[in-house]
Amino acid sequence: MSAASLRARLDWFNKLRWGAGFGVLTAVLLVGLVFGTPIEVRPLSLTAGVLLLMNLVYVLRARAMPPVDMRAELLLMKIQMVGDLVVLTILLNLSGGIENPLVFSYVIHVIIASLLFKGREIFQIAWLAIFLFTADVVGEYFGILPHHHLPTAGEVSHELPFILMTLSSFWLVILFSAYVGALIMRHNRFIKDELVARQEQLLSEDRAKTDFFRFVTHEIKSPINTAQS
């Protein structure tokens, strides 16, 4: 892995963020303004705009600075991931919190983290997602954070057994996704390293064969040239 390959992954991540930002903005405007559903249109639109603005900064930074430092690219990637999780938590808080059926959207970030990072870094993203969502749910339950009720949600979503069951399921899904993603990517990296090692071995053997034939040809030509002289 190199700084250039990480930058290529960052560019791919930025394209996904463009789609997510405009998708959320379009959905909010359609649901809130066109269909007249009582949702927080202005805060949700503002949050989606912040996500798009953040992505614009990432893109401009990528165009202005060439990929030369591996640590800088990794740090920027982690900053982007943390920013996305915070924005996602705010969006969920403004659209029902635990009542929102899209609470498992955090899994998408865990899967992307397994593609971009490895080992402990994947679980860092998973635990951050768990912490943010749990903090939002607990804050809404105790009245620390405002709760924006969804019209289609029932009162059962406010009961403690339902909240505990949802949080337990959320923790299980996030941690299991991180484990499976890390396991699959570790296996893929092992196969890739093995293929690279075999390729290097084949290239080394090819160079040895070429050197051998060059040596043999030279040794055969020497006595023939001597005899002709």
Side-chain angles (χ1 to χ4, degrees):
M1 189 178 295
S2 62
S5 64
L6 281 176
R7 177 63 63 82
R9 297 184 183 186
L10 279 174
D11 293 339
W12 166 75
F13 199 21
N14 291 336
K15 293 178 181 178
L16 291 180
R17 194 178 291 107
W18 283 125
F22 284 113
V24 170
L25 189 60
T26 303
V28 169
L29 294 178
L30 283 176
V31 173
L33 299 181
V34 178
F35 297 103
T37 305
I39 61 173
E40 301 292 335
V41 176
R42 183 174 297 178
L44 285 170
S45 301
L46 180 61
T47 306
V50 169
L51 177 63
L52 294 173
L53 181 61
M54 290 167 52
N55 198 49
L56 179 61
V57 174
Y58 300 149
V59 172
L60 294 178
R61 183 261 179 192
R63 292 181 179 179
M65 301 179 62
V68 292
D69 190 354
M70 186 84 166
R71 292 184 179 180
E73 297 301 319
L74 277 173
L75 179 61
L76 179 61
M77 190 178 294
K78 292 179 181 179
I79 291 175
Q80 291 186 14
M81 188 71 70
V82 172
D84 291 343
L85 290 176
V86 172
V87 170
L88 175 59
T89 305
I90 296 174
L91 288 173
L92 289 175
N93 172 261
L94 294 172
S95 56
I98 199 171
E99 299 173 354
N100 196 319
L102 298 177
V103 293
F104 289 96
S105 300
Y106 289 95
V107 176
I108 299 175
H109 286 79
V110 175
I111 294 175
I112 294 176
S114 65
L115 298 175
L116 300 176
F117 306 128
K118 58 182 179 180
R120 183 178 59 185
E121 296 170 328
I122 301 175
F123 284 93
Q124 289 175 352
I125 297 298
W127 281 111
L128 177 61
I130 289 174
F131 170 78
L132 290 174
F133 179 67
T134 304
D136 176 62
V137 172
V138 173
E140 290 184 18
Y141 181 76
F142 288 102
I144 302 174
L145 296 175
H147 174 69
H148 304 275
H149 182 68
L150 286 182
T152 57
E155 294 299 327
V156 68
S157 59
H158 301 283
E159 298 178 0
L160 185 59
F162 176 82
I163 293 175
L164 293 178
M165 182 179 64
T166 303
L167 284 179
S168 301
S169 303
F170 181 81
W171 282 48
L172 178 63
V173 170
I174 293 296
L175 293 177
F176 182 74
S177 300
Y179 172 75
V180 172
L183 192 65
I184 293 175
M185 292 307 299
R186 182 173 62 184
H187 179 67
N188 290 342
R189 292 187 183 99
F190 173 78
I191 295 177
K192 180 181 178 180
D193 293 341
E194 186 177 359
L195 291 176
V196 170
R198 291 184 179 181
Q199 183 183 18
E200 292 178 352
Q201 182 180 1
L202 289 175
L203 291 175
S204 177
E205 292 176 354
D206 185 69
R207 288 192 296 267
K209 181 186 68 175
T210 302
D211 294 339
F212 172 76
F213 280 112
R214 188 178 302 162
F215 171 78
V216 171
T217 303
H218 178 269
E219 293 299 319
I220 291 176
K221 286 183 177 181
S222 295
I224 294 178
N225 292 335
T226 303
Q228 288 177 348
S229 300

